[in-house]
Amino acid sequence: MWGGRFDEAVTDEVAAFNASIAFEQRLARYDVQGSVAQARALVAAGVLTVQEGQQVEDGLNAILAEIEDGSFAFSVRLEDIHMNVEARLTERIGPLGGKLHTGRSRNDQVTTDVRLYLMAEINRITRLIQSTQRSLVTCGRAHQDVVMCGYTHLQRAQPVLFAHHMLAYVEMLERDRERFSDCARRMDRSPLGSGALTGANIPVPREVARREMGFAALTPNSLDAVSDRDFVIEFLAAASICMMHLSRLSEELVLWSTSEFALISLPDRFCTGSSMMPQKKNPDMPELIRGKTGRVYGDLFSLLTTMKGLPLAYNKDMQEDKEPLFDGVDTLSACLSITAAMMADASVNRERAALSLKGGYLLATDLADYLVTRGLPFREAHEVVGRVVRDCIERKWEIEDLSVAEFRAFSDRFDDDITTYATIDASLARKSQPGGTAPQRVAERLQFWEETLP
Ligand code: ARG
């Protein structure tokens, strides 16, 4: 492609080291799409006649067919996807193929390809997020009546609906979905025509190519356009946050699968056994998702580090964006897909959920709030109930075991109705402000998602 200036070809080792084709073949169809758009812009510019433009397009479409049926032969000597496609075009249609690269550089080409690729992937990932949300809603709905212990500091805290817990993850995933769509919106700019760094000498209308590819607008600065990888970094940041959410869910699944919790049972097809210990059923899927989260963070940091010292404009270092990006896309997709399948069929151990409500003095806050409704300042009420709990601990009692007279020994503001106030059901029902775990609120939110999710 650039023989003119050189005395000798690169060695095989250098060719292999330099080439990106081994890992960027998935860009092929987008490279063809960008080239078709460029061909049309070249026709509009008068660089290609209408007939030449058609020949180039037919050649490119034939190449697309080869790519799609797997017969396209990728060559390391041709370094990257752009030169592989262009060389094949010239093979097919002759020297006319050599006109396609007028007014464009691989620098604007590569970022065009990656934007097209990533916008399509974000659409796919959005659907995976939504199917994961749907599974969590299904799981919540299937266990709508299950009340369990909610934790802070992993210490027993207050009663909560299991469905509320599932819905918490649905909300996290919704923010993830929004982050990806936000990132796609900013990515939706055509860099084609930025040339190597300053634009093109030949007035090839960028607008024509933009319209062909369906981008919403043009990038406004050629130097920025060819040296910007923010959109990849933003994607990996959104992917990292989404993985963090999946990892937190996974950690809970691992924890809940222990004999100590025994709160959830994952379908066997998502677990594995031990080669040595016949009794084992290990939650490998959530463990792996938790593990792969670190890997996606690594993808993000790898690219942030690659970019931090680069002068404008394009530098070959930037070729190092592909592997972390593709790894991030593949890892996130697999983790979402497994989580969606696993959660749709996860089942809660209702007995253990009920048991988790015992022994943790989960109604202590309710007692304090009861005293508040009787006019005691919250701090004093907290102190009184602290003594109630201490007494219960010493006597090995539950709060529910106390009689009204025993309550009154701690404060004369306790009345007969304390026994109906301090129950799990009453406690839940009182959490009826928006966002609370009251069964009514949770049922509404389940229904909202059932109606909203595609
Ligand atoms: N394979 C290159 C990359 O991924 C394409 C751009 C190459 N540009 C260049 N001037 N060598 O970044």
Side-chain angles (χ1 to χ4, degrees):
M1 294 277 173
W2 47 72
R5 191 212 179 283
F6 287 77
D7 281 337
E8 56 175 4
V10 296
T11 63
D12 286 341
E13 190 183 23
V14 169
F17 188 70
N18 194 41
S20 50
I21 191 60
F23 50 78
E24 69 183 9
Q25 294 177 14
R26 64 173 80 190
L27 294 178
R29 76 193 55 196
Y30 303 101
D31 196 73
V32 171
Q33 188 188 346
S35 288
V36 168
Q38 177 71 359
R40 294 195 181 173
L42 289 173
V43 171
V47 174
L48 297 179
T49 65
V50 172
Q51 197 217 344
E52 284 176 329
Q54 196 53 56
Q55 262 177 280
V56 167
E57 236 179 86
D58 291 347
L60 287 168
N61 285 329
I63 290 172
L64 185 60
E66 291 177 359
I67 289 162
E68 248 129 55
D69 71 21
S71 65
F72 189 93
F74 295 97
S75 153
V76 170
R77 273 281 163 186
L78 290 167
E79 197 178 318
D80 57 28
I81 189 60
H82 324 296
M83 295 203 288
N84 268 270
V85 170
E86 191 186 325
R88 180 71 183 132
L89 180 67
T90 301
E91 235 171 68
R92 293 192 71 111
I93 68 170
L96 172 60
K99 289 192 176 183
L100 179 61
H101 210 55
T102 312
R104 94 179 167 185
S105 154
R106 286 182 294 155
N107 300 350
D108 54 349
Q109 216 184 337
V110 68
T111 180
T112 302
D113 292 6
V114 176
R115 282 170 194 252
L116 289 171
Y117 158 79
L118 196 46
M119 284 165 59
E121 290 297 306
I122 286 176
N123 276 333
R124 202 179 47 74
I125 286 169
T126 297
R127 287 194 295 278
L128 284 173
I129 289 176
Q130 288 168 327
S131 83
T132 309
Q133 287 176 301
R134 190 156 268 292
S135 293
L136 290 162
V137 169
T138 303
C139 185
R141 179 63 89 189
H143 303 92
Q144 205 184 337
D145 55 320
V146 173
V147 185
M148 63 179 204
C149 170
Y151 296 80
T152 67
H153 311 260
L154 207 50
Q155 303 292 314
R156 293 187 173 189
Q158 292 182 351
V160 68
L161 285 187
F162 174 79
H164 198 54
H165 203 111
M166 291 297 103
L167 286 171
Y169 286 101
V170 175
E171 303 297 340
M172 294 178 220
L173 287 168
E174 183 62 8
R175 292 195 295 277
D176 291 324
R177 193 191 61 71
E178 287 172 5
R179 257 185 289 274
F180 284 117
S181 99
D182 201 41
C183 153
R185 191 173 49 74
R186 249 187 309 283
M187 197 181 303
D188 196 2
R189 300 276 177 276
S190 173
L192 201 60
S194 298
L197 70 165
T198 58
N201 287 312
I202 297 173
V204 183
R206 293 184 62 200
E207 181 56 22
V208 171
R210 175 200 72 75
R211 209 175 325 112
E212 288 303 326
M213 292 182 287
F215 282 109
L218 298 173
T219 53
N221 180 301
S222 60
L223 285 171
D224 178 42
V226 293
S227 63
D228 167 30
R229 291 296 179 272
D230 291 5
F231 61 100
V232 181
I233 293 171
E234 273 191 55
F235 171 84
L236 288 172
S240 294
I241 296 173
C242 187
M243 285 298 299
M244 179 267 288
H245 292 149
L246 297 180
S247 183
R248 294 185 74 176
L249 173 62
S250 296
E251 167 59 18
E252 299 208 289
L253 295 175
V254 171
L255 204 59
W256 292 348
S257 301
T258 59
S259 314
E260 286 70 14
F261 272 83
L263 183 65
I264 203 154
S265 127
L266 297 174
D268 280 2
R269 60 186 185 282
F270 296 101
C271 298
T272 67
S274 155
S275 60
M276 188 186 204
M277 299 168 283
Q279 84 281 18
K280 292 296 289 288
K281 173 178 165 183
N282 296 326
D284 295 43
M285 293 308 105
E287 291 173 79
L288 263 177
I289 292 169
R290 196 176 56 186
K292 285 176 189 292
T293 301
R295 169 178 171 149
V296 175
Y297 293 180
D299 294 331
L300 170 63
F301 271 81
S302 158
L303 186 55
L304 280 170
T305 311
T306 297
M307 295 302 294
K308 74 183 267 290
L310 298 185
L312 299 187
Y314 178 84
N315 299 272
K316 188 68 172 237
D317 315 46
M318 288 157 67
Q319 177 165 291
E320 291 293 310
D321 64 349
K322 311 280 175 320
E323 286 161 294
L325 171 61
F326 299 155
D327 184 70
V329 166
D330 293 346
T331 306
L332 176 65
S333 303
C335 293
L336 281 167
S337 167
I338 295 263
T339 304
M342 192 167 57
M343 292 316 292
D345 269 347
S347 69
V348 172
N349 182 335
R350 289 162 189 272
E351 262 167 56
R352 292 296 296 231
L355 213 58
S356 76
L357 299 172
K358 304 272 174 221
Y361 310 101
L362 305 189
L363 296 175
T365 315
D366 299 78
L367 290 188
D369 288 338
Y370 173 90
L371 293 174
V372 167
T373 66
R374 298 300 158 112
L376 205 62
F378 181 75
R379 275 296 145 234
E380 284 174 43
H382 190 289
E383 173 71 28
V384 170
V385 178
R387 276 186 266 124
V388 175
V389 170
R390 206 161 92 185
D391 193 58
C392 284
I393 293 172
E394 273 163 20
R395 299 197 208 190
K396 297 195 165 48
W397 280 7
E398 298 284 327
I399 283 175
E400 297 91 314
D401 295 338
L402 266 66
S403 67
V404 176
E406 281 158 339
F407 274 122
R408 288 182 67 82
F410 292 96
S411 164
D412 57 10
R413 298 191 198 228
F414 282 118
D415 255 321
D416 285 355
D417 60 350
I418 184 59
T419 51
T420 49
Y421 191 96
T423 67
I424 299 284
D425 285 348
S427 172
L428 289 169
R430 278 191 296 271
K431 307 296 190 316
S432 61
Q433 286 295 307
T437 192
Q440 180 61 25
R441 291 286 92 82
V442 173
E444 284 162 11
R445 200 61 186 163
L446 281 172
Q447 194 187 341
F448 167 82
W449 285 115
E450 282 162 352
E451 285 166 7
T452 306
L453 289 169

